[in-house]
Each structure stands twice: as C-alpha cells, then as structure tokens.
Amino acid sequence: MSTDRHTSDNGNLPVNNDVSFETRDISISAVVWSLFYLAVTVFVSLAICVYFFKFSTGFVAGSDTPRPMIRQQMSATDEMNMSMPPEPRLQGVPGHITDPQQDMRTKVAEDSKANESYGWVDEKNGIAQIPVSEAMKIIAEKGLPGAAAAAPEKKQ
C-alpha cells in the first residue's frame, strides 16, 4: 500500500485512465417504476383472490346439501353436544364447561388448606393429621425413629 498522496486537478481524487467512477449508484426512475409495477401486481393479485373467494363460497353454498329437518329444529346447545365427542373430554377443548386454569387454582388451594389443617385420619387407631410445618418441627426436635439393626450373619 502506498503512502503517497494522490494529486489531481479535480480535488483529491486519483486519476487513472483505466478506472472510471459512476456518477450515480442507482437510477431513481428505475426504482420508482419497480415500485409501481410491484403495487400494480399486488392489487391485481388481490382482485383475483377476492373474485376467487366469492366464486368458491358461492359454489360451495350452491352445492351444499341442506341440514336434516331434525337438526334444524334442535337448539344450539343440543347441536353442539351432538357434534362433540362423548364425555369425558379433555380440559380446555371446545365443549368442556369448566376452565382448566380455575380447576388447577381450586385444587392447589384445597391441597394447601389440607396441608395446613388439623384433623383425624383414623380416630379409632389414633392417627391424626397435623400441618406439615408442625410435623417438620417435631421431627427436627425428636428426630426420626431409628431403623432396626441388621441381623447378624450366620457363620458356617
């Protein structure tokens, strides 16, 4: 790479007979015409799609068989139930009455309430239910009952 300065009569641009510079990188009129052709193509495609949609919906409506008389007399809920698979259905799919997120919130609340309450599991045998935090405190104070010692091995 040369460190010599280029000098010429047209400023600091180098002069070379084999190299020429473009006066403009792009043609503005070519860009405008391209955008115009693109817009025309989009609108023509839209018109074709709208025509095709109207034609196809009219064709399907004309060739569709009417619903049976019994279906015409049904209520909307009965007709929906007929079109759904039989119970039990998965939660969250159309036709399921309850909200799965609300079911989950209810279950978590019930489980939390059960884990934080006192009660009898089997009063006859003296088995009670206590909150988990209380059970952890009791185990921390008294410890777990030890395991039975292993039976001595027999010598032969």
Side-chain angles (χ1 to χ4, degrees), residues 22 66 84 142-143 145 155:
E22 294 182 22
M84 291 290 154
K142 296 182 180 179
K155 293 184 182 179

Side-chain angles (χ1 to χ4, degrees), residues 90-143:
L90 295 175
Q91 289 181 324
V93 297
H96 198 274
I97 298 170
T98 60
D99 178 26
Q101 283 80 22
Q102 184 59 42
D103 290 346
M104 183 66 175
R105 287 189 289 270
T106 304
K107 178 167 179 17
V108 168
E110 289 172 356
D111 291 346
S112 297
K113 183 180 176 184
N115 284 339
E116 297 169 359
S117 65
Y118 293 93
W120 286 104
V121 175
D122 188 3
E123 191 172 358
K124 239 163 100 177
N125 293 329
I127 300 173
Q129 172 184 329
I130 61 173
V132 174
S133 58
E134 293 296 320
M136 289 172 59
K137 287 178 189 176
I138 292 171
I139 290 174
E141 290 173 2
K142 296 182 180 179

Side-chain angles (χ1 to χ4, degrees), residues 64-84:
D64 196 15
T65 58
R67 296 186 320 167
M69 185 59 75
I70 189 73
R71 287 267 179 124
Q72 292 176 4
Q73 295 172 353
M74 281 184 176
S75 67
T77 55
D78 290 340
E79 191 170 352
M80 185 187 78
N81 287 338
M82 261 187 91
S83 65
M84 291 290 154

